[in-house]
Amino acid sequence: GAGVSQTPSNKVTEKGKYVELRCDPISGHTALYWYRQSLGQGPEFLIYFQGTGAADDSGLPNDRFFAVRPEGSVSTLKIQRTERGDSAVYLCASSLSVANEQFFGPGTRLTVL
Amino acid sequence: QKEVEQNSGPLSVPEGAIASLNCTYSDRGSQSFFWYRQYSGKSPELIMFIYSNGDKEDGRFTAQLNKASQYVSLLIRDSQPSDSATYLCAAPYGNNRLAFGKGNQVVVIP
């Protein structure tokens, strides 16, 4: 079956701009996670959804970052007033439910110039 | 102390040898552990998970968990060039978010 998909695969933007990154989880997976990975590091947790609600957003670095999952499936990560330090690969993962294995999408490489 | 630590540098092994990777974790309450493989420029791919003390084998991969010592390891037997990748250890914390180590790069030399 189809895995986790993410769009766009690459996004180049200018400092100060607004970006949206989209994640489409595996069908039937109720849990959805966003991570950010910088070069040479492991993925770093940002936010987790169980259904439509954000169950844990403790990893969001500041209030410029926001994510939604209005219908309990597709999720959008939104970054306002982007900064060069936001440049990273943004990974989305989904799992059947909590405590199940997480499967990652291909990621979106964000470059802020 | 980070939640999950992988401190070894790049590991070079000849083709056919055993590659051994180690990971330590700080939360004694952690119940499950995951090993992900990540090829350069790609996303992490789950290759092993382990919940119980002892060994779990899957093909050429063996995961070992020692809860008393708070470490988990991954053995790759009969290493192949296609095993060259970064291996990430992860453990769930809080609401099942995963805490990752920084990864260990493995290079299998033909």
Side-chain angles (χ1 to χ4, degrees):
Chain A
V4 179
S5 61
Q6 292 185 246
T7 55
S9 55
N10 280 284
K11 177 69 177 179
V12 180
T13 190
E14 294 179 341
K15 181 175 178 296
K17 299 291 188 182
Y18 168 82
V19 296
E20 290 189 351
L21 312 180
R22 175 189 166 107
C23 171
D24 198 343
I26 294 171
S27 177
H29 280 196
T30 60
L32 185 148
Y33 309 79
W34 284 99
Y35 294 84
R36 178 168 71 175
Q37 187 174 25
S38 300
L39 193 63
Q41 301 296 317
E44 175 189 22
F45 170 77
L46 295 177
I47 186 170
Y48 149 62
F49 289 89
Q50 179 60 46
T52 60
D56 182 355
D57 64 357
S58 62
L60 295 178
N62 51 60
D63 62 5
R64 296 187 296 105
F65 289 74
F66 189 70
V68 296
R69 194 187 185 197
E71 298 178 357
S73 179
V74 172
S75 175
T76 303
L77 178 65
K78 308 180 181 192
I79 310 174
Q80 299 176 322
R81 304 183 304 280
T82 52
E83 300 177 355
R84 292 191 180 89
D86 299 334
S87 297
V89 175
Y90 288 80
L91 295 165
C92 176
S94 71
S95 66
L96 195 57
S97 66
V98 294
N100 285 99
E101 302 83 57
Q102 296 180 24
F103 298 92
F104 283 83
T108 294
R109 180 175 298 278
L110 175 66
T111 303
V112 182
L113 301 177
Chain B
Q1 183 185 5
K2 291 195 67 174
E3 294 155 328
V4 176
E5 295 205 47
Q6 294 177 261
N7 291 324
S8 300
L11 179 65
S12 293
V13 296
E15 184 173 356
I18 295 175
S20 177
L21 304 171
N22 295 312
C23 167
T24 58
Y25 60 94
S26 60
D27 185 355
R28 284 194 171 274
S30 294
Q31 296 296 315
S32 55
F33 301 88
F34 304 89
W35 282 100
Y36 284 83
R37 178 177 61 198
Q38 187 171 29
Y39 292 114
S40 180
K42 302 296 186 182
S43 63
E45 171 194 11
L46 181 66
I47 56 170
M48 287 285 287
F49 59 90
I50 185 166
Y51 298 104
S52 304
N53 263 337
D55 296 0
K56 178 183 178 183
E57 186 175 316
D58 184 359
R60 295 185 296 108
F61 297 101
T62 299
Q64 299 173 319
L65 174 59
N66 184 321
K67 291 189 177 182
S69 300
Q70 293 179 243
Y71 81 78
V72 57
S73 61
L74 179 71
L75 300 178
I76 307 173
R77 291 183 303 281
D78 188 24
S79 296
Q80 302 297 309
S82 60
D83 296 326
S84 297
T86 295
Y87 291 81
L88 297 160
C89 173
Y93 283 81
N95 290 314
N96 207 46
R97 68 175 180 85
L98 288 178
F100 284 86
K102 67 178 181 180
N104 287 128
Q105 184 182 9
V106 172
V107 178
V108 180
I109 303 167

